[in-house]
Amino acid sequence: MSWVYFALAAVAEIAGCFAFWAWLRLGKSPLWLAPGMLSLALFAYLLTRVDSDAAGRAYATYGGVYILASVLWMWAIEQRVPDRWDVIGVGVCLAGAGIILLGPRTA
């Protein structure tokens, strides 16, 4: 279930950050900030739903998921096709995220 929360959190964070990007970089209305802030609050809430014994571990794992979601956003929303370095980088980050989240822990 953690991966679902990570994925939903990533969408919420990227959408919220993109609202600020649209306002500051694309000249969109400041009205974009209201849904952007709500989206960022939803992101924070969703990240607390992840099954992890430590917030830092959840945040570190989320970093890999965020990188994947960012590259998918670039591809789907910004119409920029990821290159092989994007794909390799995502793979490395997801491997690291998996190690952090799923690695055996000692008591």
Side-chain angles (χ1 to χ4, degrees):
M1 189 61 163
S2 290
W3 291 104
V4 172
Y5 286 124
F6 281 133
L8 293 172
V11 171
E13 184 181 15
I14 292 169
C17 290
F18 186 76
F20 279 81
W21 179 277
W23 170 53
L24 292 171
R25 300 285 300 266
L26 302 178
K28 300 293 184 185
S29 165
L31 294 175
W32 278 63
L33 297 179
M37 289 186 288
L38 288 173
S39 187
L40 290 171
L42 177 62
F43 148 72
Y45 170 77
L46 289 167
L47 208 50
T48 68
R49 310 314 310 155
V50 170
D51 184 27
S52 177
D53 63 341
R57 188 169 291 129
Y59 302 157
T61 303
Y62 170 70
V65 176
Y66 179 79
I67 290 168
L68 169 62
S70 297
V71 170
L72 291 174
W73 179 277
M74 176 182 73
W75 192 6
I77 304 301
E78 298 181 78
Q79 303 297 301
R80 305 284 303 247
V81 177
D83 63 23
R84 67 178 168 192
W85 300 109
D86 295 321
V87 174
I88 292 168
V90 166
V92 169
C93 292
L94 287 177
I99 291 167
I100 292 169
L101 183 65
L102 304 172
R105 306 279 178 235
T106 58

